Amino acid sequence: MKDDWIQYQIPLLLVSKNEVYEWLAHQLYPQTVNKKDGIYQALLAREAIGNIQIDEGVILPHIENELVTKTRVMILPLKNRIVKWSNEVSQVELIIAVFLAPNESLEIKRQLATFMRCLANEQVIQILKKGKKLEEI
């Protein structure tokens, strides 16, 4: 699966939800503090609406926001698990963050939907947890 909107990260050492959300926001806007803060707040607001855990140890923070100018999926395995993400979520070892641009093309939305269906496959999740790319399977 080769898509330029999917970004694989090397395993990182992040120890809290705040660190993860700050890191993600920084990836989108490394130089613009107010936009970075807007992304951070949008991630928190989305999580407040409902649980983002999709599998044991796997979370899917996702937003559709006017600050997102290009749809991106960031696959971020962690070096060490985040023991307590929230009251409902613990032992996080893989983060799949989705940033959807509000006016995205139908083709990208279709590709994104196909990608999301792949996440239902336990083998895919295990590959991503190990920090490997899907095209390696």
Side-chain angles (χ1 to χ4, degrees):
M1 180 175 290
K2 293 184 179 184
D3 298 296
D4 63 352
W5 47 270
I6 298 177
Q7 299 175 349
Y8 296 89
Q9 306 298 323
I10 61 169
L12 293 177
L13 181 59
L14 300 169
V15 298
S16 69
K17 172 176 36 181
N18 289 339
E19 276 191 19
V20 169
Y21 283 174
E22 287 174 8
W23 186 89
L24 291 169
H26 181 78
Q27 298 310 299
L28 282 133
Y29 290 105
Q31 302 295 327
T32 313
V33 173
N34 62 335
K35 290 182 179 180
K36 193 176 353 182
D37 189 52
I39 294 293
Y40 180 89
Q41 294 302 321
L43 288 165
L44 289 176
R46 168 54 191 93
E47 187 172 346
I49 294 170
N51 193 333
I52 59 171
Q53 185 171 13
I54 61 168
D55 195 12
E56 185 176 327
V58 183
I59 58 170
L60 184 80
H62 56 286
I63 58 171
E64 180 176 356
N65 190 287
E66 66 277 351
L67 290 173
V68 179
T69 57
K70 181 181 176 202
T71 295
R72 294 168 77 175
V73 173
M74 292 184 212
I75 300 172
L76 174 61
L78 299 174
K79 284 187 178 182
N80 296 321
R81 292 179 180 185
I82 296 175
V83 176
K84 183 175 181 181
W85 180 270
S86 67
N87 289 336
E88 299 81 29
V89 179
S90 60
Q91 302 300 325
V92 173
E93 58 185 308
L94 176 65
I95 298 153
I96 304 167
V98 178
F99 299 95
L100 181 61
N103 298 317
E104 191 54 80
S105 71
L106 186 57
E107 179 57 29
I108 294 293
K109 287 181 179 180
R110 284 185 183 143
Q111 291 177 20
L112 182 58
T114 299
F115 171 77
M116 299 302 277
R117 283 191 293 277
C118 288
L119 297 178
N121 182 327
E122 185 60 32
Q123 181 184 9
V124 168
I125 294 294
Q126 292 306 315
I127 288 166
L128 295 175
K129 282 181 178 179
K130 292 177 184 173
K132 295 184 179 181
K133 297 180 180 183
L134 291 181
E135 58 260 19
E136 294 178 13
I137 60 172

